[in-house]
Amino acid sequence: MLVVPRSTLVFFSIRRATGVKAFDHRLWSIHWQPLVWVLFKVLLAVVVARWLWSWTEPLAVALQEGFAFFRLEEIYSFQMPDGAFFRRIARLLVGAVLGYYGVFYLALQVQGLFSALVIHRPSGDAWYLQSMVLWRRIHSFPAAGGTTVTVQQTLPGRLLDMGTVQVYRGGEEVVTVRAIGAVARAAQLLQGRR
Amino acid sequence: MKSTWPVTLLAALALVTVHTLFHLTFMQQYLDWDQIVYLNNIRNALQPERLPLLNPHHLHLEIGGAHWHSFILERWGDAGLTDLAFNNRLRSLAAAAVALFFFVLFLREMTGSTLWALAGAILLAGTHGYMAYATKVDTPVFPSATLAMTLWVVQRLEQTRRVPLVWGVLGGVILFLGVMAHQYMAIPAVLGCVALVLPRWLFPDPRRWAPFRRSSPQRDRSVRDIPRRAVATVVMALVGVSLVAGAYFWAGKTVYNLPFAGEQGVEARGPLRSNTFQRWLFLYAGTNMWGRGLEQFDPRAPFRGYTDMFISQPGTVTRFNRNYRFEDGFVHRQLRNMTAFLVAATVILLPALWMRYRRLFVFVLSTAVVKILFTTYWEAYYYEFWIIPGMLLVVLLVMILHHLAVLLNGVTLRGGSLPGVAYLLFLSLVFFNHNVQHYLVNYSRVQRLESYSSEWPESYYLPLFSTDIYLHPQDVHREAFPGSLRSVQ
């Protein structure tokens, strides 16, 4: 089985982004999420999803009681839906919510696995590489003119792919980006590209 | 749409579920002229040896009702859903649910808040017109559903940045459904397209006049991608016009084989075979029964229709008639206050509303004005024609209150939405309570017949009353609410 280390993939992205031919590891500082941490988050998500799934039965009971509130069985001669119907509805609802957020969350973890903040030590240039297929959405922040990049994330923010990226240019202009995913626009704005 | 859209979707689903169950509990039973005629037309359409009535005014109604009834019979007939009138009331109720669902999505996107969206939708659901037509076998609830979808798709086209052509095609299908639901939906269809292609300079960036600018990496979405939006709008219009033309040619030529004016030797078929294609296409406009509201203008007529849209007259006042009776009670005063506030705020805040809601405001206001004029011209005292203007006025009210809330937020930082949402819920409560008490209970508990032709034989309308589906057909709430409701007048 061919195992490609993440660093190799990130270096590949950096080469595409910067045009650097030879890559000297000593000149670059790379920060990413540890693999164990990503796996832990996925495991945690599965446990939480399993726990939420156990709420389908109480939800089915609540739905059935809510239906009974309208007293349709005392008005119509129809066959009214039984408990199995409400269990199906409850599973559908919980499954849809868990499915949506589950797919969304897992995709974020895969994306996070291949994302990294990369800094070229001699020049201070920084890149935030956020990519699922590595060469898309590469964000660069030229350091000329005293630009600095700060990424601030709390643990819950990290879990939700939220946080703050603050970019200072020349000590005057400040752009605050609440979502990591919007960094590309900030970079374009700073570089004067529209 | 924001990442919280599952919350909005679940809230919208919860609202329409409660709305549906509530109307099932208070399902209207009465029959009037329109319902009797439509139900008989639907019954005829179910007979394979007869050509269905294809009314160009609302092309879908009869054949759609027949297909719906067949579908329900096939799917849930064993469970007891075999009644033609009841099944078609369910059809209206499904359309009302679709309208509320998209109304919530639209308002949520406009205000950024599910709470605002729910408050606006609850107000709409509590109005007399919407409540009455939600389970009536009649036309207006279907255009209501397509209007909500049109508002939503115009909003998407204004904001979308990705694949607008897909939205364009979807918008065209929605405009087509609207015209099938009722011909007068051509008005919002045209105005929606116009609002989307208005020149950009009509909607300047409000930050231009701000004392300072807060830099943001996100550009204003409403002023970008003009060419793509224009192309998508053209696609929407072309798809809509093509489908509408196809549907009318299918009905008028393929099914009825109606001759064009001046065409000789064509053997037309069906119940409307005495007409030419052109005359059939504008059948209602050519009968000289409607559309005299401006020449014989009576100011009491539009006021009666408008009032009836929001609040019910007392149960003894016959509906669908020119009996101009206005009350002066607490509920009617609330409607007058709301209307005065709506008109005054629209005039005073017009530039601000224009700047904040941009093309949506242009669309909503222009459609409301044109539809009010059209309704006054066409059938001013029938509140069924005031439902679309009423929906748009509810949107306008939410726009105004939300705008004021944003301004208030700038002063108080928090809680700015509270007065606006509270006012919407207050109006909802007042209208809902009044309309349930004076309309819905009386029209759902017992079988009731009004405004029908004395020349009709009983066999034409009596079999349409739903009896088998109820445990107690003569007093359906006898077991569920014994003695808890006011007696039927």
Side-chain angles (χ1 to χ4, degrees):
Chain A
M1 180 180 172
L2 176 64
V3 178
V4 180
R6 278 197 291 171
S7 56
T8 305
L9 298 173
V10 172
F11 296 152
F12 177 74
S13 296
I14 293 172
R15 279 200 294 273
R16 285 182 63 90
T18 62
V20 172
K21 301 294 182 190
F23 201 86
D24 188 343
H25 290 207
R26 291 168 300 181
L27 299 180
W28 295 86
S29 171
I30 303 175
H31 308 271
W32 52 36
Q33 299 182 59
L35 183 61
V36 174
W37 175 238
V38 174
L39 291 176
F40 172 74
K41 285 193 291 184
V42 171
L43 186 66
L44 191 67
V46 172
V47 171
V48 170
R50 185 69 191 84
W51 177 72
L52 288 174
W53 183 255
S54 69
W55 282 81
T56 50
E57 196 60 33
L59 179 63
V61 173
L63 288 175
Q64 195 163 10
E65 287 176 357
F67 182 79
F69 172 79
F70 293 93
R71 317 188 81 153
L72 299 184
E73 75 283 359
E74 297 172 28
I75 296 173
Y76 296 106
S77 57
F78 303 139
Q79 274 182 324
M80 292 297 160
D82 55 7
F85 172 80
F86 290 102
R87 272 195 293 281
R88 275 204 303 275
I89 296 290
R91 283 175 187 162
L92 192 70
L93 285 173
V94 177
V97 172
L98 288 183
Y100 171 74
Y101 282 112
V103 169
F104 189 65
Y105 186 79
L106 288 178
L108 279 181
Q109 300 319 309
V110 174
Q111 191 181 50
L113 200 62
F114 296 112
S115 299
L117 182 67
V118 184
I119 298 171
H120 186 236
R121 289 198 182 109
S123 66
D125 286 356
W127 287 263
Y128 186 76
L129 305 177
Q130 183 188 30
S131 170
M132 191 115 59
V133 285
L134 300 177
W135 49 81
R136 292 185 60 208
R137 299 181 68 182
I138 296 170
H139 319 305
S140 69
F141 299 87
T147 298
T148 56
V149 179
T150 309
V151 179
Q152 296 175 339
Q153 276 189 313
T154 59
L155 182 59
R158 189 80 179 174
L159 287 168
L160 296 170
D161 190 38
M162 291 181 67
T164 305
V165 176
Q166 289 183 318
V167 182
Y168 301 87
R169 188 167 67 174
E172 294 177 358
E173 189 173 8
V174 179
V175 174
T176 301
V177 187
R178 293 292 174 197
I180 298 292
V183 170
R185 293 193 179 283
Q188 288 176 358
L189 191 76
L190 283 173
Q191 291 168 358
R193 293 203 304 261
R194 292 198 175 254
Chain B
M1 195 174 276
K2 311 295 185 295
S3 59
T4 56
W5 69 268
V7 176
T8 307
L9 282 185
L10 287 177
L13 281 176
L15 178 67
V16 300
T17 304
V18 171
H19 179 261
T20 303
L21 290 171
F22 171 78
H23 273 290
L24 282 173
T25 303
F26 293 98
M27 177 66 83
Q28 296 172 66
Q29 290 205 76
Y30 87 103
L31 291 171
D32 62 357
W33 184 297
D34 281 359
Q35 296 193 89
I36 293 167
V37 171
Y38 290 143
L39 281 168
N40 275 293
N41 290 340
I42 291 169
R43 191 161 56 185
N44 291 339
L46 284 163
Q47 298 173 12
E49 71 276 10
R50 299 180 68 159
L51 279 179
L53 181 79
L54 294 168
N55 188 332
H57 212 45
H58 32 71
L59 200 57
H60 80 109
L61 191 74
E62 281 83 1
I63 50 172
H67 283 300
W68 173 272
H69 180 63
S70 302
F71 166 73
I72 297 283
L73 268 185
E74 188 180 331
R75 183 71 182 81
W76 292 290
D78 294 341
L81 276 77
T82 55
D83 187 89
L84 179 71
F86 181 80
N87 285 352
N88 273 281
R89 292 184 197 283
L90 281 185
R91 177 183 175 220
S92 298
L93 194 50
V98 169
L100 280 186
F101 184 79
F102 280 97
F103 206 62
V104 170
L105 294 193
F106 166 74
L107 290 180
R108 161 67 177 83
E109 194 64 17
M110 190 182 81
T111 61
S113 160
T114 305
L115 187 64
W116 276 97
L118 287 177
I122 290 171
L123 174 60
L124 175 68
T127 58
H128 174 227
Y130 200 81
M131 189 179 280
Y133 282 95
T135 55
K136 190 167 181 277
V137 186
D138 212 329
T139 57
V141 73
F142 302 104
S144 304
T146 57
L147 177 74
M149 292 162 77
T150 305
L151 285 166
W152 176 75
V153 83
V154 167
Q155 184 182 52
R156 306 309 304 169
L157 276 172
E158 189 199 17
Q159 296 184 350
T160 188
R161 287 174 295 168
R162 295 175 186 171
V163 209
L165 290 181
V166 174
W167 289 106
V169 173
L170 180 65
V173 173
I174 289 173
L175 297 191
F176 159 70
L177 292 176
V179 178
M180 292 300 100
H182 209 289
Q183 273 181 334
Y184 63 48
M185 287 304 286
I187 294 171
V190 171
L191 292 175
C193 292
V194 169
L196 284 171
V197 296
L198 283 175
R200 180 177 165 174
W201 56 263
L202 283 171
F203 307 97
D205 187 349
R207 288 173 296 182
R208 182 187 296 176
W209 300 291
F212 61 89
R213 295 177 69 172
R214 188 165 52 193
S215 63
S216 166
Q218 298 274 5
R219 279 187 291 163
D220 188 348
R221 289 190 299 172
S222 63
V223 296
R224 58 183 295 150
D225 299 327
I226 299 299
R228 282 202 282 174
R229 185 172 58 227
V231 169
T233 306
V234 170
V235 169
M236 178 168 78
L238 288 176
V239 170
V241 168
S242 305
L243 290 174
V244 167
Y248 276 109
F249 274 102
W250 170 80
K253 296 301 288 184
T254 308
V255 180
Y256 283 169
N257 197 30
L258 297 174
F260 291 118
E263 197 178 6
Q264 302 294 326
V266 177
E267 190 176 343
R269 302 182 289 267
L272 300 171
R273 58 185 172 275
S274 59
N275 297 284
T276 62
F277 182 84
Q278 288 92 329
R279 184 175 165 76
W280 167 80
L281 196 57
F282 301 103
L283 195 61
Y284 278 37
T287 55
N288 202 28
M289 286 179 67
W290 298 279
R292 290 172 292 179
L294 295 181
E295 295 128 35
Q296 302 168 7
F297 182 66
D298 182 347
R300 293 174 299 179
F303 275 99
R304 170 69 198 263
Y306 173 79
T307 307
D308 280 0
M309 160 57 202
F310 286 95
I311 48 181
S312 171
Q313 299 283 336
T316 51
V317 177
T318 308
R319 282 161 179 76
F320 310 113
N321 211 342
R322 291 172 179 267
N323 50 347
Y324 305 107
R325 175 171 162 180
F326 294 102
E327 300 293 309
D328 184 23
F330 174 76
V331 178
H332 285 71
R333 277 200 295 278
Q334 300 312 314
L335 178 61
R336 285 208 295 269
N337 294 344
M338 186 198 86
T339 308
F341 172 71
L342 203 56
V343 173
T346 303
V347 172
I348 294 168
L349 298 175
L350 193 110
L353 294 170
W354 183 290
M355 297 296 284
R356 183 177 296 284
Y357 301 106
R358 296 167 172 262
R359 295 171 194 276
L360 281 184
F361 177 70
V362 172
F363 176 43
V364 169
L365 185 65
S366 62
T367 310
V369 169
V370 174
K371 280 291 294 172
I372 285 171
L373 288 174
F374 173 77
T375 301
T376 304
Y377 160 71
W378 192 256
E379 245 176 349
Y381 47 86
Y382 279 12
Y383 68 96
E384 73 171 82
F385 281 85
W386 285 93
I387 291 180
I388 298 291
M391 282 181 79
L392 293 164
L393 291 179
V394 169
V395 174
L396 198 58
L397 182 65
V398 175
M399 278 182 172
I400 291 166
L401 292 172
H402 176 252
H403 172 74
L404 294 175
V406 173
L407 296 184
L408 200 58
N409 261 337
V411 177
T412 63
L413 295 180
R414 277 178 184 276
S417 295
L418 189 62
V421 172
Y423 183 56
L424 288 174
L425 292 177
F426 166 73
L427 283 179
S428 309
L429 187 65
V430 169
F431 293 166
F432 176 81
N433 181 49
H434 175 90
N435 294 329
V436 168
Q437 189 180 2
H438 289 280
Y439 175 74
L440 202 54
V441 169
N442 294 340
Y443 280 76
S444 62
R445 186 164 186 165
V446 295
Q447 294 174 354
R448 190 172 175 132
L449 190 64
E450 64 178 36
S451 67
Y452 67 105
S453 171
S454 56
E455 296 174 4
W456 287 342
E458 287 189 346
S459 60
Y460 188 66
Y461 53 86
L462 281 186
L464 298 174
F465 278 117
S466 306
T467 50
D468 293 344
I469 59 170
Y470 290 111
L471 292 174
H472 310 288
Q474 301 306 320
D475 184 1
V476 296
H477 290 148
R478 190 173 76 190
E479 193 175 331
F481 308 110
S484 62
L485 300 176
R486 47 183 270 152
S487 60
V488 179
Q489 294 176 351

